[in-house]
Amino acid sequence: MYVADSRAGTPDSPAPASAPASAEGAARPRAGRRRAAVAPTVLALGTVSLITDVSSEMVTAVLPLYLVTGLGLSPLGFGLLDGIYNGFSALVRLAGGHLADRGGGRHKWVAGAGYALSAACKPLLLLAHTLTPIGLILAADRTGKGLRTAPRDALISLSSTSQARGRAFGVHRAMDTAGALFGPLVAFLILRATVDGYDAVFMVSFCVAVAGVLVLVLFVPGGSTRPPATTDTPRPAPRPTLRAALALLRRPALRRLTVCALLLGLATVSDSFVYLLLQRRLGVPDRWFALLPLGTAAAFLLLAVPLGRLADRVGRWRVFLAGHGALLLTYGLLLSSWHGTALPYAVLVLHGGFYAATDGVLMAAASDSVPDELRSSGLALVQTGQALARFVCSIGFGAAWTAWGDRTALTASAVVLAVCALFSLGLRPPRPPRSEGLA
């Protein structure tokens, strides 16, 4: 299970009865027992996510410019497509989580089906040039993301102890974000080196996505790996059902987390809109636009593991809300009259800090409130609420931009985010046992 030799036992396991009680042995009782920070499953899934994110972020980096400048879509039309791209997965996340839980060991294969579906959609973008077919392709791509996200996060959670779960998600998100860092750079180089740059980006993205699927099939364990059990004879878990999954919302901690994720998602402006706003503020040439996501990805990469460890120590709920404070500061900078050379760096660092403090931290917090046999379904509930809210936000922001302008739309989003954050302070989940570290 873990990187260190599993024969060494766990930190909490008692010494064997036959172990000598010598002074020399007592001086170093746990020298061989220290486990690695994360399980091999986390590292394997992190590698898959790294490769897949190179592929997906290549497309994401050029898609706003391709749709708005290349195809001439209005902000409202782009907002609709962006909402589909970021929110359509909400419609299938519960199905993906439920399928993974029912199989007992299907987490890998449900996730693999999602990765494969997303990969197959990349070359289809070469054939679409109008709103409807592009929307259908993006919907299929996000269906793949919806299928894979909850089973993947369940595998990470089940292979990690509660005390180190924030770190495990932080490591995975850091590896995932390394792909997000390289993806826009690859897209930028392709656009500069080719004549039909967008077509080349979509085809290279497809090839990279196929490589990610192969790594998943070859190196990720097939079952749902778990830390060594602390009980001698665990009771068999009941067969998961969709009703049992929905009944998880009766748990106060999970219900409040889901409500907060939904409310805060209603004011989380899409990354693409943030980059378009920053480009307009600074007058960034089109050829440099694909590099803007690099700033967010770099900050996310550097902060994901430290903030995950911080969440394990001081409380995941506090770090999660602080991340939305960073997002509110991002909106404030974009609305301010400041035009200094440090503006883009400040905006992108805060934007990356927001993701580092919320993405994996939210999943680590939700994992503490969900039983093992429904882990994938429980995480999917939280992800569904958040994805649906961001879908609504993308459409609403695009409509507000079209009707009243970008500054008015962003001002409204900042006000809604501040109100939802204050309300979420009152919905703080009840404090779990100290070892779980949520509050």
Side-chain angles (χ1 to χ4, degrees):
M1 282 280 303
Y2 290 82
V3 174
D5 190 347
S6 60
R7 294 171 297 177
T10 64
D12 298 324
S13 60
S18 60
S22 65
E24 181 180 358
R28 295 179 298 171
R30 301 185 185 274
R33 296 188 179 190
R34 188 172 67 85
R35 294 177 296 183
V38 295
T41 298
V42 178
L43 299 178
L45 287 169
T47 303
V48 174
S49 293
L50 188 156
I51 297 172
T52 302
D53 240 37
V54 171
S55 168
S56 61
E57 291 302 322
M58 286 174 62
V59 175
T60 302
V62 303
L63 197 61
L65 204 62
Y66 175 66
L67 296 175
V68 175
T69 302
L71 300 184
L73 290 182
S74 67
L76 176 58
F78 175 72
L80 178 61
L81 285 179
D82 191 70
I84 292 173
Y85 192 73
N86 290 291
F88 193 84
S89 62
L91 300 177
V92 294
R93 290 194 187 204
L94 283 175
H98 179 61
L99 287 173
D101 284 336
R102 283 184 67 86
R106 291 181 185 169
H107 295 82
K108 169 182 176 177
W109 303 114
V110 174
Y115 280 111
L117 178 58
S118 293
C121 290
K122 300 299 190 296
L124 296 180
L125 288 170
L126 297 170
L127 308 176
H129 299 92
T130 57
L131 184 64
T132 300
I134 291 176
L136 291 175
I137 293 170
L138 294 182
D141 178 84
R142 294 300 90 180
T143 297
K145 181 175 177 61
L147 284 175
R148 71 180 184 248
T149 301
R152 179 204 65 198
D153 285 348
L155 280 171
I156 296 171
S157 173
L158 291 170
S159 64
S160 309
T161 63
S162 178
Q163 295 87 346
R165 201 166 280 147
R167 177 188 299 178
F169 276 101
V171 168
H172 173 267
R173 285 345 189 228
M175 297 179 71
D176 181 271
T177 307
L181 190 64
F182 288 116
L185 182 59
V186 174
F188 169 75
L189 294 175
I190 292 174
L191 287 177
R192 287 182 61 89
T194 58
V195 177
D196 297 322
Y198 293 117
D199 291 351
V201 167
F202 297 151
M203 185 53 65
V204 173
S205 173
F206 166 69
C207 296
V208 175
V210 171
V213 175
L214 291 176
V215 172
L216 175 76
V217 171
L218 295 175
F219 297 104
V220 174
S224 56
T225 56
R226 304 183 184 188
T230 56
T231 57
D232 295 331
T233 56
R235 292 179 298 175
R239 183 175 178 82
T241 64
L242 189 58
R243 177 177 298 180
L246 295 175
L248 290 172
L249 291 176
R250 296 175 185 172
R251 298 173 176 240
L254 187 67
R255 183 173 62 249
R256 294 181 187 181
L257 273 174
T258 304
V259 170
C260 290
L262 190 152
L263 288 175
L264 293 168
L266 289 173
T268 302
V269 174
S270 166
D271 299 358
S272 299
F273 278 124
V274 171
Y275 303 141
L276 285 172
L277 289 166
L278 191 57
Q279 183 201 30
R280 288 182 174 230
R281 280 287 308 273
L282 301 176
V284 177
D286 291 353
R287 66 179 181 276
W288 298 104
F289 181 84
L291 293 181
L292 290 179
L294 291 178
T296 296
F300 193 171
L301 175 64
L302 294 174
L303 295 174
V305 175
L307 289 180
R309 297 179 64 184
L310 180 66
D312 286 336
R313 292 199 303 268
V314 306
R316 293 159 192 162
W317 183 247
R318 296 173 184 172
V319 174
F320 179 70
L321 287 182
H324 286 87
L327 181 62
L328 189 59
L329 288 175
T330 302
Y331 294 171
L333 287 178
L334 289 171
L335 290 168
S336 70
S337 58
W338 181 32
H339 287 82
T341 56
L343 174 63
Y345 303 101
V347 168
L348 296 175
V349 167
L350 285 171
H351 196 226
F354 156 69
Y355 280 112
T358 58
D359 191 9
V361 171
L362 177 62
M363 291 298 96
S367 298
D368 295 330
S369 305
V370 181
D372 289 355
E373 63 271 13
L374 292 172
R375 185 63 52 82
S376 187
S377 300
L379 297 184
L381 284 172
V382 181
Q383 294 166 356
T384 296
Q386 187 179 62
L388 284 174
R390 292 182 177 180
F391 174 80
V392 172
C393 181
S394 287
I395 296 176
F397 189 86
W401 186 337
T402 302
W404 302 303
D406 54 351
R407 288 186 62 83
T408 301
L410 187 60
T411 300
S413 297
V415 172
V416 173
L417 178 60
V419 172
C420 290
L422 289 175
F423 184 76
S424 297
L425 286 173
L427 284 179
R428 176 190 179 101
R431 183 179 295 272
R434 186 173 185 83
S435 62
E436 295 182 0
L438 170 63

